[in-house]
Amino acid sequence: MDLTMTTKIALDEYFEQGRDFYNCFVVLRGGQITEPVVEASFLEELESTIKIDDKFDIYEGDVLVYPKTRQFCYVDDIRHIAEKGYYLVHYHTKKI
């Protein structure tokens, strides 16, 4: 997905709202910001992996933006760990 300048401006405005984004990601789907912000965390023990509660809808092709560093994580694989109630999301990053 190629992010337009409009999307980048919308993200900047969203981040400037002063929300507490600790352990949260903004989801972009089809170039649009979706709600709600998802609570998630990077897994140190698994490279390029984010753990997300399965109450959130995440799909391959979504982009998870980590507000603290403005890192864009392009979702390329999702594994549902149903018995524990979470997804393991594998991602890649690329320059925009």
Side-chain angles (χ1 to χ4, degrees):
M1 168 185 5
D2 185 29
L3 297 176
T4 65
M5 185 57 77
T6 304
T7 302
K8 291 177 189 174
I9 291 169
L11 278 172
D12 286 342
E13 290 174 359
Y14 194 76
F15 296 147
E16 289 171 4
Q17 291 176 6
R19 294 184 63 163
D20 179 11
F21 286 110
Y22 180 74
N23 278 343
C24 290
F25 288 77
V26 175
V27 180
L28 296 179
R29 183 171 297 135
Q32 300 294 317
I33 298 170
T34 65
E35 292 286 350
V37 171
V38 298
E39 298 168 16
S41 58
F42 291 105
L43 287 182
E44 292 180 19
E45 61 272 14
L46 293 173
E47 187 175 334
S48 300
T49 303
I50 300 169
K51 180 180 175 182
I52 301 174
D53 190 299
D54 68 1
K55 69 182 176 185
F56 299 107
D57 292 326
I58 301 296
Y59 304 101
E60 287 184 30
D62 285 351
V63 180
L64 303 175
V65 183
Y66 186 54
K68 184 175 179 180
T69 62
R70 306 279 174 107
Q71 179 177 347
F72 284 68
C73 304
Y74 296 82
V75 176
D76 54 28
D77 185 48
I78 302 169
R79 300 207 177 149
H80 189 208
I81 313 300
E83 63 275 6
K84 298 203 177 184
Y86 62 82
Y87 295 111
L88 290 180
V89 176
H90 187 272
Y91 67 90
H92 66 279
T93 59
K94 63 181 176 182
K95 299 249 183 206
I96 43 175

